[in-house]
Short mmCIF file of all heavy atoms in Angstrom, two decimals:
data_model
loop_
_atom_site.label_atom_id
_atom_site.label_comp_id
_atom_site.label_asym_id
_atom_site.label_seq_id
_atom_site.Cartn_x
_atom_site.Cartn_y
_atom_site.Cartn_z
N MET A 1 -7.30 18.94 -6.33
CA MET A 1 -6.37 18.19 -7.15
C MET A 1 -4.95 18.80 -7.06
O MET A 1 -3.96 18.07 -6.89
CB MET A 1 -6.82 18.14 -8.58
CG MET A 1 -5.83 17.52 -9.52
SD MET A 1 -6.22 17.67 -11.26
CE MET A 1 -6.00 19.39 -11.51
N LEU A 2 -4.87 20.13 -7.15
CA LEU A 2 -3.58 20.77 -7.10
C LEU A 2 -2.91 20.57 -5.74
O LEU A 2 -1.68 20.37 -5.68
CB LEU A 2 -3.67 22.27 -7.41
CG LEU A 2 -4.04 22.61 -8.86
CD1 LEU A 2 -4.29 24.10 -9.01
CD2 LEU A 2 -2.99 22.13 -9.81
N GLN A 3 -3.71 20.57 -4.67
CA GLN A 3 -3.13 20.40 -3.35
C GLN A 3 -2.63 18.95 -3.21
O GLN A 3 -1.53 18.71 -2.64
CB GLN A 3 -4.15 20.66 -2.26
CG GLN A 3 -4.48 22.14 -2.14
CD GLN A 3 -5.59 22.43 -1.16
OE1 GLN A 3 -6.30 21.50 -0.77
NE2 GLN A 3 -5.65 23.66 -0.72
N ALA A 4 -3.34 17.99 -3.76
CA ALA A 4 -2.89 16.59 -3.67
C ALA A 4 -1.61 16.39 -4.48
O ALA A 4 -0.68 15.70 -4.02
CB ALA A 4 -3.99 15.64 -4.19
N LEU A 5 -1.55 17.03 -5.61
CA LEU A 5 -0.32 16.94 -6.43
C LEU A 5 0.85 17.63 -5.73
O LEU A 5 1.97 17.07 -5.68
CB LEU A 5 -0.55 17.58 -7.80
CG LEU A 5 0.61 17.54 -8.78
CD1 LEU A 5 1.09 16.11 -9.01
CD2 LEU A 5 0.21 18.20 -10.09
N ALA A 6 0.63 18.77 -5.14
CA ALA A 6 1.68 19.47 -4.42
C ALA A 6 2.20 18.62 -3.27
O ALA A 6 3.41 18.53 -3.03
CB ALA A 6 1.16 20.82 -3.91
N ARG A 7 1.29 18.00 -2.49
CA ARG A 7 1.71 17.15 -1.40
C ARG A 7 2.54 15.93 -1.90
O ARG A 7 3.56 15.60 -1.33
CB ARG A 7 0.51 16.64 -0.62
CG ARG A 7 -0.06 17.66 0.38
CD ARG A 7 -1.09 17.01 1.32
NE ARG A 7 -2.21 16.46 0.59
CZ ARG A 7 -3.32 17.16 0.23
NH1 ARG A 7 -3.38 18.44 0.55
NH2 ARG A 7 -4.31 16.60 -0.40
N ALA A 8 2.10 15.37 -3.01
CA ALA A 8 2.82 14.22 -3.59
C ALA A 8 4.25 14.67 -3.98
O ALA A 8 5.24 13.97 -3.71
CB ALA A 8 2.11 13.63 -4.76
N LEU A 9 4.33 15.80 -4.66
CA LEU A 9 5.69 16.24 -5.10
C LEU A 9 6.56 16.64 -3.92
O LEU A 9 7.75 16.33 -3.91
CB LEU A 9 5.53 17.42 -6.08
CG LEU A 9 4.82 17.10 -7.40
CD1 LEU A 9 4.75 18.35 -8.26
CD2 LEU A 9 5.50 15.98 -8.14
N SER A 10 5.97 17.31 -2.95
CA SER A 10 6.79 17.70 -1.80
C SER A 10 7.28 16.52 -1.02
O SER A 10 8.36 16.57 -0.44
CB SER A 10 5.91 18.59 -0.87
OG SER A 10 5.63 19.83 -1.45
N SER A 11 6.54 15.45 -1.01
CA SER A 11 6.99 14.22 -0.30
C SER A 11 8.23 13.63 -0.94
O SER A 11 8.90 12.85 -0.31
CB SER A 11 5.84 13.21 -0.24
OG SER A 11 5.63 12.60 -1.51
N LEU A 12 8.49 13.99 -2.20
CA LEU A 12 9.67 13.43 -2.92
C LEU A 12 10.96 14.20 -2.67
O LEU A 12 12.02 13.73 -3.04
CB LEU A 12 9.37 13.36 -4.40
CG LEU A 12 8.16 12.48 -4.77
CD1 LEU A 12 7.86 12.62 -6.23
CD2 LEU A 12 8.40 11.04 -4.42
N THR A 13 10.82 15.37 -2.09
CA THR A 13 12.02 16.18 -1.80
C THR A 13 12.55 15.71 -0.46
O THR A 13 11.87 15.81 0.57
CB THR A 13 11.72 17.69 -1.76
OG1 THR A 13 10.72 17.95 -0.79
CG2 THR A 13 11.23 18.17 -3.15
N ARG A 14 13.79 15.21 -0.45
CA ARG A 14 14.31 14.56 0.77
C ARG A 14 15.35 15.40 1.43
O ARG A 14 15.61 15.23 2.61
CB ARG A 14 14.86 13.20 0.38
CG ARG A 14 13.70 12.32 -0.12
CD ARG A 14 14.12 10.89 -0.24
NE ARG A 14 12.95 10.09 -0.50
CZ ARG A 14 12.97 8.94 -1.14
NH1 ARG A 14 14.13 8.45 -1.54
NH2 ARG A 14 11.89 8.28 -1.36
N ARG A 15 16.07 16.25 0.68
CA ARG A 15 17.13 17.04 1.27
C ARG A 15 16.58 18.43 1.58
O ARG A 15 15.66 18.92 0.88
CB ARG A 15 18.31 17.15 0.34
CG ARG A 15 18.87 15.79 -0.07
CD ARG A 15 19.95 15.94 -1.12
NE ARG A 15 19.35 16.58 -2.29
CZ ARG A 15 20.03 16.93 -3.39
NH1 ARG A 15 21.32 16.73 -3.44
NH2 ARG A 15 19.44 17.51 -4.40
N PRO A 16 17.13 19.12 2.57
CA PRO A 16 16.70 20.48 2.91
C PRO A 16 16.83 21.45 1.70
O PRO A 16 16.04 22.40 1.59
CB PRO A 16 17.61 20.90 4.04
CG PRO A 16 18.09 19.64 4.64
CD PRO A 16 18.15 18.65 3.52
N SER A 17 17.77 21.19 0.79
CA SER A 17 17.98 22.11 -0.33
C SER A 17 17.03 21.77 -1.51
O SER A 17 16.92 22.63 -2.41
CB SER A 17 19.43 22.00 -0.84
OG SER A 17 19.69 20.66 -1.26
N ASP A 18 16.32 20.68 -1.50
CA ASP A 18 15.38 20.35 -2.59
C ASP A 18 14.08 21.14 -2.35
O ASP A 18 13.72 21.46 -1.25
CB ASP A 18 15.02 18.88 -2.54
CG ASP A 18 16.18 17.97 -2.86
OD1 ASP A 18 17.22 18.44 -3.35
OD2 ASP A 18 16.08 16.77 -2.56
N LEU A 19 13.44 21.50 -3.47
CA LEU A 19 12.23 22.31 -3.40
C LEU A 19 11.26 21.94 -4.51
O LEU A 19 11.64 21.87 -5.67
CB LEU A 19 12.58 23.82 -3.57
CG LEU A 19 11.42 24.79 -3.61
CD1 LEU A 19 10.71 24.86 -2.26
CD2 LEU A 19 11.89 26.17 -4.02
N ALA A 20 10.03 21.65 -4.09
CA ALA A 20 8.92 21.46 -5.05
C ALA A 20 8.06 22.67 -4.95
O ALA A 20 7.69 23.11 -3.88
CB ALA A 20 8.14 20.20 -4.67
N ALA A 21 7.70 23.23 -6.12
CA ALA A 21 6.91 24.47 -6.12
C ALA A 21 6.00 24.51 -7.36
O ALA A 21 6.32 23.99 -8.41
CB ALA A 21 7.84 25.68 -6.14
N ARG A 22 4.90 25.21 -7.21
CA ARG A 22 4.02 25.46 -8.33
C ARG A 22 4.53 26.73 -9.05
O ARG A 22 4.76 27.77 -8.37
CB ARG A 22 2.59 25.69 -7.80
CG ARG A 22 1.58 25.88 -8.89
CD ARG A 22 0.17 26.02 -8.27
NE ARG A 22 -0.80 26.35 -9.28
CZ ARG A 22 -2.01 26.79 -9.00
NH1 ARG A 22 -2.37 26.98 -7.75
NH2 ARG A 22 -2.83 27.07 -9.98
N VAL A 23 4.70 26.64 -10.34
CA VAL A 23 5.24 27.78 -11.10
C VAL A 23 4.27 28.34 -12.11
O VAL A 23 4.51 29.38 -12.71
CB VAL A 23 6.57 27.39 -11.81
CG1 VAL A 23 7.67 27.07 -10.82
CG2 VAL A 23 6.37 26.22 -12.78
N GLY A 24 3.11 27.67 -12.29
CA GLY A 24 2.12 28.17 -13.23
C GLY A 24 0.80 27.56 -12.84
O GLY A 24 0.64 26.88 -11.82
N SER A 25 -0.19 27.75 -13.70
CA SER A 25 -1.51 27.25 -13.36
C SER A 25 -1.54 25.76 -13.10
O SER A 25 -2.11 25.29 -12.11
CB SER A 25 -2.51 27.59 -14.49
OG SER A 25 -2.12 26.96 -15.68
N GLU A 26 -0.93 24.98 -13.99
CA GLU A 26 -0.86 23.51 -13.82
C GLU A 26 0.59 23.03 -13.94
O GLU A 26 0.84 21.89 -14.27
CB GLU A 26 -1.75 22.82 -14.83
CG GLU A 26 -3.22 23.13 -14.65
CD GLU A 26 -4.09 22.54 -15.71
OE1 GLU A 26 -3.54 21.85 -16.65
OE2 GLU A 26 -5.32 22.65 -15.63
N GLU A 27 1.51 23.93 -13.67
CA GLU A 27 2.93 23.58 -13.81
C GLU A 27 3.62 23.61 -12.46
O GLU A 27 3.45 24.51 -11.70
CB GLU A 27 3.64 24.57 -14.77
CG GLU A 27 3.10 24.51 -16.18
CD GLU A 27 3.77 25.51 -17.07
OE1 GLU A 27 4.57 26.36 -16.57
OE2 GLU A 27 3.46 25.55 -18.29
N PHE A 28 4.41 22.55 -12.23
CA PHE A 28 5.19 22.44 -11.02
C PHE A 28 6.63 22.21 -11.37
O PHE A 28 6.93 21.70 -12.49
CB PHE A 28 4.70 21.26 -10.18
CG PHE A 28 3.39 21.50 -9.49
CD1 PHE A 28 2.18 21.38 -10.21
CD2 PHE A 28 3.32 21.82 -8.16
CE1 PHE A 28 0.95 21.58 -9.58
CE2 PHE A 28 2.09 22.05 -7.53
CZ PHE A 28 0.90 21.92 -8.26
N ALA A 29 7.54 22.53 -10.52
CA ALA A 29 8.96 22.26 -10.71
C ALA A 29 9.53 21.69 -9.41
O ALA A 29 9.04 22.01 -8.30
CB ALA A 29 9.71 23.54 -11.06
N ILE A 30 10.48 20.86 -9.59
CA ILE A 30 11.25 20.31 -8.43
C ILE A 30 12.69 20.70 -8.65
O ILE A 30 13.29 20.30 -9.64
CB ILE A 30 11.12 18.80 -8.27
CG1 ILE A 30 9.65 18.41 -8.04
CG2 ILE A 30 11.98 18.35 -7.09
CD1 ILE A 30 9.42 16.91 -7.93
N LEU A 31 13.23 21.54 -7.73
CA LEU A 31 14.60 21.95 -7.84
C LEU A 31 15.45 21.02 -7.02
O LEU A 31 15.17 20.78 -5.84
CB LEU A 31 14.76 23.40 -7.35
CG LEU A 31 13.89 24.43 -8.06
CD1 LEU A 31 14.13 25.82 -7.45
CD2 LEU A 31 14.15 24.44 -9.54
N LEU A 32 16.48 20.48 -7.61
CA LEU A 32 17.35 19.47 -7.00
C LEU A 32 18.79 19.91 -7.10
O LEU A 32 19.54 19.38 -7.93
CB LEU A 32 17.14 18.10 -7.61
CG LEU A 32 15.73 17.57 -7.65
CD1 LEU A 32 15.60 16.38 -8.60
CD2 LEU A 32 15.29 17.17 -6.24
N PRO A 33 19.25 20.88 -6.31
CA PRO A 33 20.61 21.37 -6.42
C PRO A 33 21.65 20.24 -6.25
O PRO A 33 21.43 19.30 -5.48
CB PRO A 33 20.76 22.39 -5.30
CG PRO A 33 19.37 22.71 -4.90
CD PRO A 33 18.55 21.53 -5.23
N ASP A 34 22.72 20.32 -6.99
CA ASP A 34 23.83 19.35 -6.91
C ASP A 34 23.36 17.91 -7.12
O ASP A 34 23.79 17.01 -6.45
CB ASP A 34 24.52 19.46 -5.54
CG ASP A 34 25.10 20.83 -5.30
OD1 ASP A 34 25.69 21.39 -6.29
OD2 ASP A 34 24.97 21.38 -4.19
N THR A 35 22.43 17.75 -8.08
CA THR A 35 21.91 16.45 -8.41
C THR A 35 22.32 16.15 -9.87
O THR A 35 22.03 16.93 -10.76
CB THR A 35 20.38 16.40 -8.28
OG1 THR A 35 20.06 16.70 -6.94
CG2 THR A 35 19.84 15.02 -8.63
N GLY A 36 22.89 14.98 -10.08
CA GLY A 36 23.28 14.56 -11.42
C GLY A 36 22.16 13.99 -12.20
O GLY A 36 20.98 13.90 -11.70
N ASP A 37 22.42 13.59 -13.42
CA ASP A 37 21.42 13.04 -14.33
C ASP A 37 20.71 11.81 -13.73
O ASP A 37 19.51 11.67 -13.82
CB ASP A 37 22.02 12.65 -15.68
CG ASP A 37 22.43 13.90 -16.46
OD1 ASP A 37 22.03 15.02 -16.12
OD2 ASP A 37 23.21 13.73 -17.44
N LYS A 38 21.48 10.88 -13.14
CA LYS A 38 20.89 9.69 -12.58
C LYS A 38 19.96 9.98 -11.42
O LYS A 38 18.91 9.39 -11.28
CB LYS A 38 21.99 8.72 -12.14
CG LYS A 38 22.71 8.06 -13.33
CD LYS A 38 23.71 7.05 -12.84
CE LYS A 38 24.44 6.43 -14.01
NZ LYS A 38 25.43 5.43 -13.59
N GLY A 39 20.40 10.91 -10.54
CA GLY A 39 19.57 11.27 -9.44
C GLY A 39 18.27 11.93 -9.88
O GLY A 39 17.20 11.66 -9.34
N ALA A 40 18.40 12.82 -10.87
CA ALA A 40 17.18 13.50 -11.40
C ALA A 40 16.25 12.52 -12.06
O ALA A 40 15.03 12.59 -11.88
CB ALA A 40 17.59 14.60 -12.36
N ALA A 41 16.80 11.53 -12.81
CA ALA A 41 16.00 10.53 -13.45
C ALA A 41 15.28 9.66 -12.41
O ALA A 41 14.11 9.31 -12.58
CB ALA A 41 16.85 9.66 -14.35
N ASN A 42 15.97 9.40 -11.29
CA ASN A 42 15.36 8.62 -10.20
C ASN A 42 14.17 9.41 -9.62
O ASN A 42 13.09 8.81 -9.38
CB ASN A 42 16.40 8.34 -9.12
CG ASN A 42 15.88 7.48 -8.00
OD1 ASN A 42 15.04 7.92 -7.24
ND2 ASN A 42 16.35 6.25 -7.95
N VAL A 43 14.33 10.70 -9.38
CA VAL A 43 13.22 11.52 -8.85
C VAL A 43 12.09 11.56 -9.85
O VAL A 43 10.92 11.46 -9.52
CB VAL A 43 13.70 12.91 -8.47
CG1 VAL A 43 12.54 13.81 -8.10
CG2 VAL A 43 14.69 12.86 -7.30
N ALA A 44 12.40 11.71 -11.12
CA ALA A 44 11.38 11.74 -12.20
C ALA A 44 10.55 10.48 -12.18
O ALA A 44 9.31 10.52 -12.31
CB ALA A 44 12.00 11.95 -13.56
N GLU A 45 11.21 9.34 -11.98
CA GLU A 45 10.49 8.04 -11.95
C GLU A 45 9.61 8.00 -10.74
O GLU A 45 8.45 7.55 -10.79
CB GLU A 45 11.50 6.87 -11.94
CG GLU A 45 10.80 5.53 -11.88
CD GLU A 45 9.91 5.25 -13.08
OE1 GLU A 45 10.21 5.72 -14.20
OE2 GLU A 45 8.91 4.57 -12.93
N ARG A 46 10.09 8.49 -9.61
CA ARG A 46 9.27 8.52 -8.38
C ARG A 46 8.06 9.47 -8.53
O ARG A 46 6.98 9.22 -8.02
CB ARG A 46 10.12 8.90 -7.19
CG ARG A 46 11.05 7.77 -6.79
CD ARG A 46 11.80 8.02 -5.50
NE ARG A 46 12.63 9.21 -5.67
CZ ARG A 46 12.93 10.05 -4.68
NH1 ARG A 46 12.54 9.85 -3.48
NH2 ARG A 46 13.70 11.12 -4.91
N VAL A 47 8.28 10.58 -9.29
CA VAL A 47 7.15 11.48 -9.57
C VAL A 47 6.05 10.75 -10.35
O VAL A 47 4.89 10.82 -10.01
CB VAL A 47 7.64 12.75 -10.33
CG1 VAL A 47 6.48 13.50 -10.93
CG2 VAL A 47 8.45 13.65 -9.44
N HIS A 48 6.48 10.05 -11.38
CA HIS A 48 5.49 9.29 -12.18
C HIS A 48 4.74 8.30 -11.32
O HIS A 48 3.52 8.19 -11.38
CB HIS A 48 6.22 8.51 -13.32
CG HIS A 48 6.42 9.36 -14.53
ND1 HIS A 48 5.42 9.64 -15.43
CD2 HIS A 48 7.53 9.93 -15.02
CE1 HIS A 48 5.90 10.36 -16.41
NE2 HIS A 48 7.15 10.59 -16.16
N GLU A 49 5.45 7.60 -10.48
CA GLU A 49 4.83 6.60 -9.58
C GLU A 49 3.86 7.26 -8.58
O GLU A 49 2.74 6.75 -8.35
CB GLU A 49 5.87 5.78 -8.83
CG GLU A 49 6.67 4.87 -9.72
CD GLU A 49 7.84 4.25 -9.03
OE1 GLU A 49 8.08 4.51 -7.82
OE2 GLU A 49 8.59 3.52 -9.69
N ALA A 50 4.29 8.39 -8.03
CA ALA A 50 3.44 9.07 -7.04
C ALA A 50 2.15 9.66 -7.66
O ALA A 50 1.08 9.55 -7.11
CB ALA A 50 4.23 10.18 -6.34
N VAL A 51 2.30 10.22 -8.84
CA VAL A 51 1.16 10.87 -9.47
C VAL A 51 0.23 9.80 -10.06
O VAL A 51 -0.99 10.00 -10.09
CB VAL A 51 1.68 11.86 -10.57
CG1 VAL A 51 0.51 12.36 -11.41
CG2 VAL A 51 2.41 13.01 -9.94
N GLU A 52 0.79 8.68 -10.51
CA GLU A 52 -0.01 7.64 -11.11
C GLU A 52 -1.11 7.16 -10.14
O GLU A 52 -2.24 6.81 -10.55
CB GLU A 52 0.89 6.46 -11.44
CG GLU A 52 0.19 5.27 -12.08
CD GLU A 52 1.20 4.22 -12.44
OE1 GLU A 52 1.89 3.71 -11.53
OE2 GLU A 52 1.30 3.86 -13.62
N GLY A 53 -0.82 7.21 -8.85
CA GLY A 53 -1.78 6.73 -7.83
C GLY A 53 -2.82 7.78 -7.43
O GLY A 53 -3.74 7.44 -6.71
N LEU A 54 -2.69 8.99 -7.93
CA LEU A 54 -3.63 10.05 -7.48
C LEU A 54 -4.93 9.98 -8.36
O LEU A 54 -4.87 9.73 -9.53
CB LEU A 54 -3.03 11.43 -7.70
CG LEU A 54 -1.83 11.76 -6.78
CD1 LEU A 54 -1.28 13.16 -7.10
CD2 LEU A 54 -2.20 11.70 -5.32
N MET A 55 -6.03 10.20 -7.67
CA MET A 55 -7.30 10.18 -8.37
C MET A 55 -7.99 11.56 -8.22
O MET A 55 -7.97 12.12 -7.10
CB MET A 55 -8.22 9.10 -7.76
CG MET A 55 -9.56 8.94 -8.42
SD MET A 55 -9.53 8.43 -10.14
CE MET A 55 -9.03 6.71 -9.95
N VAL A 56 -8.52 12.08 -9.28
CA VAL A 56 -9.23 13.36 -9.28
C VAL A 56 -10.66 13.07 -8.81
O VAL A 56 -11.34 12.18 -9.33
CB VAL A 56 -9.25 14.04 -10.66
CG1 VAL A 56 -10.06 15.32 -10.60
CG2 VAL A 56 -7.84 14.28 -11.13
N LYS A 57 -11.11 13.86 -7.82
CA LYS A 57 -12.50 13.66 -7.29
C LYS A 57 -13.27 14.95 -7.51
O LYS A 57 -12.73 16.04 -7.41
CB LYS A 57 -12.45 13.33 -5.81
CG LYS A 57 -11.84 12.00 -5.56
CD LYS A 57 -11.95 11.60 -4.08
CE LYS A 57 -11.34 10.24 -3.91
NZ LYS A 57 -11.76 9.62 -2.66
N ALA A 58 -14.56 14.79 -7.75
CA ALA A 58 -15.47 15.90 -7.86
C ALA A 58 -16.75 15.49 -7.12
O ALA A 58 -17.29 14.43 -7.40
CB ALA A 58 -15.76 16.28 -9.30
N ASP A 59 -17.19 16.33 -6.21
CA ASP A 59 -18.39 16.02 -5.40
C ASP A 59 -18.23 14.65 -4.72
O ASP A 59 -19.21 13.89 -4.63
CB ASP A 59 -19.63 16.09 -6.29
CG ASP A 59 -19.91 17.46 -6.80
OD1 ASP A 59 -19.62 18.45 -6.12
OD2 ASP A 59 -20.36 17.55 -7.97
N GLY A 60 -17.04 14.34 -4.28
CA GLY A 60 -16.79 13.12 -3.56
C GLY A 60 -16.67 11.86 -4.42
O GLY A 60 -16.50 10.77 -3.88
N GLU A 61 -16.73 11.98 -5.73
CA GLU A 61 -16.67 10.85 -6.61
C GLU A 61 -15.43 10.89 -7.48
O GLU A 61 -15.01 11.94 -7.91
CB GLU A 61 -17.90 10.75 -7.50
CG GLU A 61 -19.17 10.51 -6.73
CD GLU A 61 -20.36 10.21 -7.65
OE1 GLU A 61 -20.13 9.63 -8.76
OE2 GLU A 61 -21.49 10.59 -7.29
N ASN A 62 -14.84 9.72 -7.73
CA ASN A 62 -13.66 9.67 -8.64
C ASN A 62 -14.10 9.97 -10.06
O ASN A 62 -15.07 9.41 -10.53
CB ASN A 62 -13.04 8.25 -8.58
CG ASN A 62 -12.46 7.92 -7.25
OD1 ASN A 62 -12.13 8.80 -6.47
ND2 ASN A 62 -12.35 6.64 -6.96
N VAL A 63 -13.37 10.90 -10.66
CA VAL A 63 -13.74 11.30 -12.06
C VAL A 63 -12.54 11.11 -13.02
O VAL A 63 -12.72 11.23 -14.22
CB VAL A 63 -14.20 12.73 -12.12
CG1 VAL A 63 -15.51 12.89 -11.39
CG2 VAL A 63 -13.18 13.71 -11.59
N GLY A 64 -11.38 10.78 -12.54
CA GLY A 64 -10.26 10.57 -13.46
C GLY A 64 -8.92 10.52 -12.73
O GLY A 64 -8.87 10.73 -11.51
N ARG A 65 -7.93 10.30 -13.52
CA ARG A 65 -6.56 10.25 -12.95
C ARG A 65 -5.75 11.44 -13.45
O ARG A 65 -6.03 12.05 -14.46
CB ARG A 65 -5.87 8.98 -13.43
CG ARG A 65 -6.49 7.71 -12.90
CD ARG A 65 -5.48 6.60 -12.89
NE ARG A 65 -6.05 5.41 -12.29
CZ ARG A 65 -6.10 5.15 -11.01
NH1 ARG A 65 -5.61 5.99 -10.12
NH2 ARG A 65 -6.62 4.05 -10.55
N ILE A 66 -4.72 11.77 -12.70
CA ILE A 66 -3.81 12.85 -13.03
C ILE A 66 -2.68 12.21 -13.86
O ILE A 66 -2.21 11.13 -13.57
CB ILE A 66 -3.23 13.49 -11.77
CG1 ILE A 66 -4.36 14.16 -10.98
CG2 ILE A 66 -2.17 14.53 -12.13
CD1 ILE A 66 -3.90 14.67 -9.61
N THR A 67 -2.23 12.93 -14.86
CA THR A 67 -1.06 12.47 -15.63
C THR A 67 0.04 13.53 -15.49
O THR A 67 -0.23 14.68 -15.09
CB THR A 67 -1.37 12.30 -17.13
OG1 THR A 67 -1.85 13.54 -17.65
CG2 THR A 67 -2.45 11.25 -17.31
N VAL A 68 1.26 13.17 -15.82
CA VAL A 68 2.37 14.07 -15.71
C VAL A 68 3.33 13.87 -16.84
O VAL A 68 3.49 12.74 -17.33
CB VAL A 68 3.08 13.83 -14.31
CG1 VAL A 68 3.70 12.48 -14.24
CG2 VAL A 68 4.13 14.89 -14.07
N SER A 69 3.95 14.95 -17.26
CA SER A 69 5.04 14.86 -18.22
C SER A 69 6.22 15.51 -17.57
O SER A 69 6.13 16.53 -16.87
CB SER A 69 4.70 15.53 -19.57
OG SER A 69 4.48 16.90 -19.34
N VAL A 70 7.38 14.91 -17.73
CA VAL A 70 8.60 15.38 -17.07
C VAL A 70 9.59 15.84 -18.14
O VAL A 70 9.86 15.12 -19.13
CB VAL A 70 9.25 14.24 -16.23
CG1 VAL A 70 10.54 14.73 -15.59
CG2 VAL A 70 8.24 13.75 -15.18
N GLU A 71 10.14 17.01 -17.96
CA GLU A 71 11.14 17.56 -18.91
C GLU A 71 12.41 17.86 -18.16
O GLU A 71 12.43 18.17 -17.06
CB GLU A 71 10.61 18.85 -19.52
CG GLU A 71 9.39 18.58 -20.41
CD GLU A 71 8.91 19.81 -21.04
OE1 GLU A 71 9.73 20.70 -21.37
OE2 GLU A 71 7.71 19.93 -21.30
#
């Protein structure tokens, strides 16, 4: 699950200076240097959309969805 989430977040970083990283057990951050409020809000919306489509699997079976909160 963490690897799928990391791949989804990394796919949203488009500039060489952007960085998606795991900072805690279940915490990730996306650093967007020189990005204004509108640009950050746009990325946050794309994060919600990307994560919404992820499904948690256990033993090859779907067991739930991942949710995200953005601060």
Side-chain angles (χ1 to χ4, degrees):
M1 175 189 67
L2 291 174
Q3 289 176 343
L5 181 56
R7 281 190 299 275
L9 296 180
S10 292
S11 73
L12 300 173
T13 59
R14 297 192 171 152
R15 303 173 301 175
S17 61
D18 296 345
L19 175 68
R22 184 176 174 196
V23 295
S25 62
E26 296 176 357
E27 296 177 355
F28 288 79
I30 299 177
L31 304 179
L32 304 165
D34 301 318
T35 301
D37 292 345
K38 287 183 182 181
N42 183 291
V43 172
E45 181 61 31
R46 289 187 297 151
V47 166
H48 276 283
E49 291 170 0
V51 171
E52 181 179 59
L54 295 178
M55 182 63 73
V56 178
K57 293 186 178 198
D59 296 325
E61 294 189 31
N62 294 335
V63 294
R65 294 204 177 276
I66 297 172
T67 60
V68 64
S69 62
V70 178
E71 296 182 30

